[in-house]
Each structure stands twice: as C-alpha cells, then as structure tokens.
Amino acid sequence: MRVEIWSDIACPWCYVGKARFEKALDAFPHRDQVEVVHRSFELDPNRDKGDIQPVLKMLTKKYGMSEAQAQAGEENLGTQAAAEGLEYRTRDRDHGNTFDMHRLLHFAKAQGRQDELIGALYRANFAEERSVFGDDERLVELAVAAGLDKDAAREVLADPAAYADDVRADEREAAELGANGVPFFVLDRKYGVSGAQPAEVFAQALTQAWGERPPLKLIQQASDDSEVCGPDGCAVPQN
C-alpha cells in the first residue's frame, strides 16, 4: 500500500501531522508493506527567495490578526508539538520560500533518503535556532545529515531547473485531487485524510484502506509443471 503526503516545510501542522501519522503507522500490523512518499506543496509559492520575515509578522499580515493572537497561536502549536514529543520554538522563527527545499526533497527521493531529509528540514525549521531560509549551505548541511552527498546536493541547489518540474507536477496533482491545504494524506489513491488528525484517525484510515485493497487476479493459475520456486525448491526441467 502506498501513502502519499503532500506537505510544506513551512507548515507547522505538517510537522505535527507527520509525527501523528508515524505513530499510527508504527503500530500498524502491515507497516513493512506500506510505502510512504512525500509530495510537494508550497504554502507561499509566490514569495521571492530573498523575502524572509519573522513568522509573527507574516501571520499578522497574511491573516489580519494581532501580534498577540499570532503569538497565542504559536504557543498552542508548541503545546501540540510537545504532546507528540517534538521540539518547537514558539518565538523568533522566520518564514520564507521553500521551493529549493522541495527540489532537494525530490533529489533525496531519488537517492532513497527522502524521509530522512524531510525530518531534518522540519527539525531545523521548527526546533533549531539557525534559519533554513536564504542559505543554500545550511540546506547542504542538512542534506549531508540526512545521508546525501554534499557536492551532489550543492549542485542541485545551484541549478534552478533541477527537479523543478517534479515539484510543479506534485503541486498540479494536489490541485487535481482537491487539496487546498496541507498536510494532505492519500492512501492508495482511494482515501484522503486532510489535516494533522489524531493518530487514531490515521490508524483507522490505514486499516480501512488495507482491508479494501482489491484481491490479486492471476492471469493463469499455476499448474504442476509451472516453472516456479516454492518452499520445496525450484522446478527444474528433467531430461
């Protein structure tokens, strides 16, 4: 079974939602047969790469709330994150364009290190003091921490076209699926779960999606002379 997760590194609920989903997945009896793929979704795709500002300023401008309201929201997020065992800095974080991070995540996917990188990016953005925005070398450091080659990661970031089409394809697909916010979880292209739901909701979704998988249809049943390998060995033609 495949689970696709559309998310953005700048999205705090994606950070929390990933932890809740993984809690459910770790307890799922068929965990080893579930493939998780992270898909790209930018919350602020029109923001210039150099346009970096404090989170509170962004929230007050974008949502028309007071600074006190924005700070209260950050405190609530900190509480929610802590409940999932996550660190979360409720003050002095910043916000910026995440397109290069998504490009790097597609590179990491090709190397089999996507989950490691998205985890490193989330921790850096929400729990660590040094910013992840506007500093390619910071992203290179995180890529190396996730097990990626330093020079290869640097080359990806230096080439604006590298994996750009993959990011845009993910975003178009999200729109086609009706996802207008993240996190957005799609299970076997049959069920969707929107938002950072409790682990119990994810557990129910996994169980339901697994139980409704269509049975395998064989084109031809195996016969006694089929060339197959089984518990008793392999069928070998006898002269």
Side-chain angles (χ1 to χ4, degrees), residues 18 36-40 102 104-120 146 148 170:
K18 182 176 185 291
V36 178
V37 179
H38 297 282
R39 301 291 193 189
S40 299
H102 286 294
L104 202 57
L105 281 166
H106 275 281
F107 165 66
K109 178 186 175 185
Q111 305 301 313
R113 309 295 295 179
Q114 191 184 44
D115 193 67
E116 290 81 358
L117 180 59
I118 199 168
L148 296 167
D170 276 0

Side-chain angles (χ1 to χ4, degrees), residues 23-218:
K23 184 180 293 184
L25 185 61
D26 287 344
F28 187 56
H30 309 288
R31 168 68 183 92
D32 293 341
Q33 298 178 64
V34 178
E35 176 191 13
V36 178
V37 179
H38 297 282
R39 301 291 193 189
S40 299
F41 189 106
E42 294 174 274
L43 290 174
D44 208 349
N46 298 317
R47 181 179 291 273
D48 291 336
K49 182 175 180 178
D51 184 5
I52 304 167
Q53 62 181 171
V55 166
L56 291 188
K57 183 177 180 181
M58 179 275 294
L59 291 172
T60 56
K61 182 178 180 181
K62 188 172 184 177
Y63 299 107
M65 60 177 65
S66 68
E67 186 169 318
Q69 289 173 321
Q71 185 59 55
E74 285 293 285
E75 298 293 341
N76 176 55
L77 279 162
T79 300
Q80 299 282 344
E84 305 303 329
L86 302 172
E87 294 183 48
Y88 189 96
R89 296 176 64 239
T90 59
R91 296 179 183 273
D92 301 323
R93 288 193 306 108
D94 57 9
H95 177 80
N97 181 285
T98 57
F99 186 63
D100 284 347
M101 298 181 211
H102 286 294
R103 294 196 300 111
L104 202 57
L105 281 166
H106 275 281
F107 165 66
K109 178 186 175 185
Q111 305 301 313
R113 309 295 295 179
Q114 191 184 44
D115 193 67
E116 290 81 358
L117 180 59
I118 199 168
L121 290 169
Y122 276 140
R123 287 190 298 273
N125 186 41
F126 292 108
E128 298 176 9
E129 185 174 350
R130 185 178 170 190
S131 176
V132 297
F133 299 104
D135 183 356
D136 284 356
E137 286 305 305
R138 172 63 164 149
L139 297 184
V140 170
E141 290 176 9
L142 294 170
V144 171
L148 296 167
D149 180 77
K150 179 188 294 186
D151 292 335
R154 190 175 285 129
E155 286 178 9
V156 169
L157 292 171
D159 179 5
Y163 298 96
D165 289 344
D166 299 272
V167 177
R168 298 308 183 206
D170 276 0
E171 293 174 337
R172 286 193 301 272
E173 199 163 10
E176 292 168 1
L177 290 170
N180 53 18
V182 284
F184 188 71
F185 302 77
V186 176
L187 292 78
D188 259 0
R189 288 301 170 107
K190 189 172 183 180
Y191 294 102
V193 178
S194 180
Q197 300 290 340
E200 293 78 10
V201 173
F202 288 121
Q204 180 182 356
L206 286 166
T207 300
Q208 184 171 347
W210 182 267
E212 296 185 14
R213 292 176 306 137
L216 182 68
K217 295 181 179 179
L218 293 176

